[in-house]
Amino acid sequence: MKARFRYRFYPTNQQQQSLAQLFGCVRVVWNDALALCKQSEKKPSSVDLQKVVITQAKKTEERAWLSEVSNIPLQQSVADLELAFKNFFNSCSCKRKGRKVGYPKFKKRTNSQSARFRIGGFSVKGDGVYLAKIGTVKPIWSRVIPSAPSSVTVIKDCANRYFLSFVVEVEPGRVDAKNQSIGIDLGIKTFAVTSDGETVQSPSYKKLDRKIRKLQRKLARQPKDSKRRNKTRVQIAKLYNQIADTRKDFLHKLSTKIVKENQVIVLEDLNVSGMLKNRKLARAISQQGWYEFRVLCEARIR
């Protein structure tokens, strides 16, 4: 079974510049490949796209700077676009289960940035991780990687935080649960009520939510592409990350506890997408993370 292990790291000023250049190249390759797909009557193959947007583009004056970064993340960018199209086509033909996947979109500079290295483009050396044409970065090892990673993704979120996300093979652990089964009813005021009478309260996000609303009103009044607007945007992103990190920590601990203690888990089946259409409750519902809780429970059972 494959799993992701994510660690934060703090790059040096030189590494930040190199990573910014890498993210820009990956974004340009994605956008060029997507633009080419939109212009073509028949979608080109991944190999043909790589020849045009990477190999041939490096020989032109406009894209000569693509040679200054590692070729592996550029190839992975085209491969990720191929996967995005595959998911879109499978979703349209009902071969893919779950919510419908939209058509791939162009990447923006202000959104979260990422670049993926496969084997040959990175290596774990002691306390550091070597990235091709970037150098050695030192993540904060909060836990030990159980096996050798097959790939690593460098991520820079909207709040300018840097992460390394490793993909590794793990063996699913088996724990003898003490309870036969449990039913869980999900809600807003009380996150969960179990069939044995236990109630679970979710963390309060009201204080952070008020700050976000205030900053969003401030952002709306500021002129576009100004330094103050960009500063406010980063402040909003940091507050959103605080809410997301708090919710993720809460859901991970709760799902782990429930899966360990029960053999069978029955969750309330909610139409979350339909409930989000209620504009009065949409914000509170989206902050609870019901779907994420269900996914975490299913992942731990497997």
Side-chain angles (χ1 to χ4, degrees):
M1 183 176 81
K2 290 185 177 181
R4 283 194 174 273
F5 284 71
R6 187 168 173 173
Y7 305 88
R8 187 172 181 179
F9 73 99
Y10 297 88
T12 62
N13 293 334
Q14 181 62 39
Q15 289 174 346
Q16 287 184 19
Q17 294 177 5
S18 300
L19 287 172
Q21 185 180 19
L22 174 62
F23 293 144
C25 292
V26 169
R27 185 175 63 250
V28 166
V29 167
W30 170 286
N31 292 342
D32 287 350
L34 180 56
L36 190 62
C37 291
K38 285 190 172 184
Q39 295 171 2
S40 305
E41 295 182 2
K42 183 180 179 182
K43 180 190 167 299
S45 65
S46 179
V47 176
D48 294 335
L49 286 174
Q50 287 187 21
K51 289 180 180 178
V52 176
V53 301
I54 300 177
T55 307
Q56 296 178 8
K58 288 180 179 180
K59 300 177 182 179
T60 63
E61 293 183 2
E62 296 178 349
R63 296 286 188 265
W65 35 264
L66 290 176
S67 303
E68 298 177 6
V69 302
S70 174
N71 201 49
I72 293 176
L74 304 184
Q75 294 174 349
Q76 289 299 315
S77 182
V78 178
D80 291 341
L81 180 62
E82 182 74 15
L83 180 61
F85 271 110
K86 181 181 178 182
N87 293 335
F88 169 69
F89 292 138
N90 289 340
S91 181
C92 292
S93 59
C94 299
K95 293 181 181 179
R96 178 185 172 90
K97 297 181 180 179
R99 188 179 302 174
K100 284 201 171 184
V101 178
Y103 192 87
K105 297 181 180 180
F106 291 104
K107 292 189 176 182
K108 297 181 180 179
R109 185 182 300 176
T110 55
N111 292 350
S112 177
Q113 307 293 317
S114 64
R116 184 152 55 96
F117 292 84
R118 63 175 184 267
I119 295 177
F122 79 99
S123 60
V124 181
K125 298 180 179 180
D127 294 336
V129 178
Y130 173 76
L131 303 174
K133 292 193 177 182
I134 299 295
T136 302
V137 298
K138 293 186 177 181
I140 300 175
W141 299 105
S142 54
R143 51 181 173 170
V144 179
I145 300 180
S147 60
S150 59
S151 68
V152 60
T153 304
V154 187
I155 302 170
K156 178 188 176 185
D157 63 13
C158 297
N160 297 332
R161 300 185 302 177
Y162 293 85
F163 297 93
L164 292 177
S165 179
F166 297 93
V167 176
V168 297
E169 287 286 342
V170 295
E171 291 292 334
R174 297 182 179 180
V175 181
D176 296 330
K178 60 182 180 181
N179 300 328
Q180 185 68 26
S181 62
I182 190 172
I184 302 175
D185 181 27
L186 302 175
I188 297 178
K189 290 186 176 180
T190 302
F191 180 81
V193 179
T194 61
S195 55
D196 55 6
E198 183 182 355
T199 60
V200 181
Q201 301 291 337
S202 63
S204 177
Y205 311 112
K206 290 183 179 179
K207 187 175 180 180
L208 292 173
D209 194 44
R210 283 196 298 268
K211 291 182 180 180
I212 290 174
R213 287 170 180 255
K214 183 178 179 181
L215 287 174
Q216 284 176 335
R217 290 193 295 268
K218 180 181 178 182
L219 183 73
R221 295 191 298 267
Q222 293 174 328
K224 291 185 177 180
D225 299 328
S226 64
K227 291 185 178 180
R228 290 186 178 182
R229 182 183 176 89
N230 186 59
K231 182 179 178 180
T232 305
R233 180 187 60 79
V234 174
Q235 290 176 342
I236 294 173
K238 288 182 178 180
L239 291 174
Y240 270 122
N241 283 334
Q242 287 185 36
I243 293 178
D245 293 343
T246 304
R247 178 174 58 243
K248 188 179 296 184
D249 179 70
F250 165 73
L251 295 178
H252 271 284
K253 290 178 179 178
L254 178 61
S255 59
T256 302
K257 178 176 179 294
I258 289 176
V259 170
K260 283 185 176 181
E261 294 179 354
N262 302 277
Q263 296 181 8
V264 179
I265 302 171
V266 181
L267 283 174
E268 182 181 8
D269 191 11
L270 298 172
N271 182 15
V272 179
S273 59
M275 296 173 69
L276 289 175
K277 294 179 181 178
N278 185 341
R279 67 181 187 86
K280 294 184 178 180
L281 297 176
R283 200 176 186 97
I285 291 172
S286 60
Q287 288 178 349
Q288 296 304 312
W290 294 332
Y291 179 76
E292 186 178 358
F293 175 69
R294 185 187 190 93
V295 170
L296 289 174
C297 289
E298 291 176 352
R300 281 169 170 76
I301 290 173
R302 293 172 190 172

